[in-house]
Amino acid sequence: MNDLTGKVALVTGASRGIGRAIALELGQRGCDVVINYHSNIASAQETAAQIAAPSRTLVHQADVSIAQEASGLVEAALAAFGRVDILVNNAGITLDGLSMRMPEEDWDQVLATNLKSAFNCAKAVQRSMLRQRWGRIISIGSVAGLMGNAGQANYSAAKAGLVGLTKALARELAPRGITVNLVAPGFIATDMTASLGEEILAKVQALIPLQRLGKPDEVARLVGYLASDAAAYITGQVIALDGGMSM
Ligand code: NAP
């Protein structure tokens, strides 16, 4: 039930961090994996190199915040593998600052990269999933979208937007055998959190009941489960993976 042999997965932002861990997990479960990245080609190729045969890989550059590039990414996946069974909307950025001083471009860029990108990719993969009456759309949100976070008005709004997008898509697509879910991590040890600095991370750790940051492969294992047939009856859900932080 956990085996995904023969399925095709597309992971956005799979060049590093959580996206890379998800690509490796899905590869290990037998998927062919499309590895999307924005600017870091060497790192994306390193993700591909870590996925063992017989799983096949395709590395594809696209800025998924732009609709045309997102649909180009899906077209490349379809050309290479004939279908997309699993979409993981993972690409994301932060541009933090207090709302009073937040430049309009920082609001727009964070909303486009974290929220509009998920709509762009979900729209582009649907035809393939509808045809086969099976699909999984899994997005990576954040506890910031559930609790809010000072200095992250743009990011919190984008991640909260993913909650509504997930539920609307889940209702639209359930009759066709496609499930749509949102994983909302707390603080996970990646480049994104490393940029916060040690002092802030020590304060954050004190707020986490399990008293540590999460690991990218802990997020990946949940995504792997949600992609599998074992999770066939789970849709429209927001699952926090945060060491108890948001309870
Ligand atoms: P990360 O290490 O900063 O990696 C971000 C990834 O997104 C990279 O692969 C990057 O590609 C890609 N990306 C950025 N903008 C893109 C665009 N416009 N088009 C395509 N790809 C793009 O981040 P992470 O910590 O792994 O986070 C992954 C996801 O989890 C994000 O959605 C983030 O908001 C969410 N999340 C993270 C945490 C955490 O604590 N780390 C907590 C909650 C939620 P390049 O390498 O080519 O730049």
Side-chain angles (χ1 to χ4, degrees), residues 103-119:
E104 187 182 352
E105 316 77 83
D106 288 9
W107 171 271
D108 288 345
Q109 206 181 328
V110 166
L111 267 286
T113 307
N114 293 277
L115 177 58
K116 190 180 172 199
S117 61
F119 168 73

Side-chain angles (χ1 to χ4, degrees), residues 40-75:
N40 209 334
I41 185 168
S43 191
Q45 284 168 339
E46 178 54 33
T47 304
Q50 289 181 30
I51 295 177
S55 291
R56 297 170 295 170
T57 57
L58 173 73
V59 173
H60 190 92
Q61 193 282 334
D63 178 345
V64 287
S65 69
I66 299 168
Q68 213 178 351
E69 295 200 21
S71 57
L73 167 65
V74 172
E75 275 162 31

Side-chain angles (χ1 to χ4, degrees), residues 186-190 193-194 196 200-206 208 210-216 218 241-243:
F187 284 83
I188 309 296
T190 68
T193 39
L196 293 173
I200 292 182
L201 283 177
K203 283 186 190 153
V204 160
Q205 208 154 307
I208 304 172
L210 284 176
Q211 298 182 335
R212 65 170 177 86
L213 268 57
K215 300 175 195 150
E218 291 176 313
L241 192 143
D242 62 359

Side-chain angles (χ1 to χ4, degrees), residues 13-19 36-40 62-65 90-93 113-114 140-142 155 159 185-188 190-193:
S15 47
R16 50 202 165 95
I18 294 170
N36 159 251
Y37 69 100
H38 185 219
S39 52
N40 209 334
D63 178 345
V64 287
S65 69
N90 165 80
I93 55 164
T113 307
N114 293 277
I140 307 301
S142 167
Y155 185 76
K159 296 301 192 183
F187 284 83
I188 309 296
T190 68
D191 291 349
M192 189 178 272
T193 39

